[in-house]
């Protein structure tokens, strides 16, 4: 009994390849969205808890929250960049396969990839805010 040949991007009909790449693209876009939500929610909760601390009773937490906040921002930031890199790889495969003639994968506009700026910048913004919070506390001590 012969097993079917494995399907590669080159052997798929154009519309099937388009749908497969589009599905992967959508998945990576959803990953970026979920990870941004994790970042925003976690940072909001951490900043709220940090703001309620009193230095006298919880000194170790006043030091620990900024470190933990920076670590969370860094880890989620790495995962956001991984999803964005996967999206870029899908776009490269899409263009390499010549599927632009069927339909654009990404909207053609003057803004280019500026829609990713928030996803790329927010982890660094939160990490910087935690760094400022930590240095402000150290200077106040």
């Amino acid at each position: 009994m012969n097993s079917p040949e494995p399907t590669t991007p080159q052997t798929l009909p154009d519309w099937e390849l388009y749908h497969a790449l589009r599905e992967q693209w959508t998945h990576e876009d959803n990953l970026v969205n979920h990870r941004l939500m994790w970042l925003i929610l976690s940072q909001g909760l951490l900043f709220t808890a940090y703001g309620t601390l009193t230095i006298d009773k919880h000194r170790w937490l006043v030091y620990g929250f900024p470190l933990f906040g920076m670590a969370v921002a860094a880890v989620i930031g790495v995962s956001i960049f991984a999803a964005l890199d996967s999206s870029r790889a899908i776009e490269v495969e899409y263009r390499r396969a010549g599927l632009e003639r069927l339909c654009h994968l990404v909207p053609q506009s003057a803004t280019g990839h500026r829609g990713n700026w928030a996803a790329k910048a927010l982890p660094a913004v939160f990490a910087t805010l935690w760094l400022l919070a930590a240095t402000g506390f150290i200077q106040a001590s």
Side-chain angles (χ1 to χ4, degrees), residues 52-71:
T52 64
L53 293 176
T54 59
I55 295 173
D56 298 335
K57 294 181 182 178
H58 307 288
R59 189 169 193 81
W60 68 274
L61 282 175
V62 175
Y63 285 115
F65 266 89
L67 295 175
F68 184 67
M70 285 186 273

Side-chain angles (χ1 to χ4, degrees), residues 16-81:
E16 285 183 39
L17 180 58
Y18 168 80
H19 288 294
L21 291 173
R22 182 68 187 169
E23 185 69 28
Q24 288 177 325
W25 181 282
T26 301
H27 175 72
E28 295 301 329
D29 191 49
N30 284 332
L31 285 178
V32 171
N33 177 46
H34 290 292
R35 291 168 182 172
L36 277 170
M37 291 299 104
W38 297 345
L39 178 68
I40 292 167
L41 286 172
S42 66
Q43 297 299 306
L45 290 170
L46 287 170
F47 275 116
T48 301
Y50 183 72
T52 64
L53 293 176
T54 59
I55 295 173
D56 298 335
K57 294 181 182 178
H58 307 288
R59 189 169 193 81
W60 68 274
L61 282 175
V62 175
Y63 285 115
F65 266 89
L67 295 175
F68 184 67
M70 285 186 273
V72 169
V75 169
I76 295 176
V78 167
S79 68
I80 288 170
F81 275 90

Side-chain angles (χ1 to χ4, degrees), residues 6-14 17 93 96-97:
T7 305
T8 63
Q10 293 79 21
T11 62
L12 284 175
D14 287 346
L17 180 58
E93 176 64 27
R96 190 189 64 70

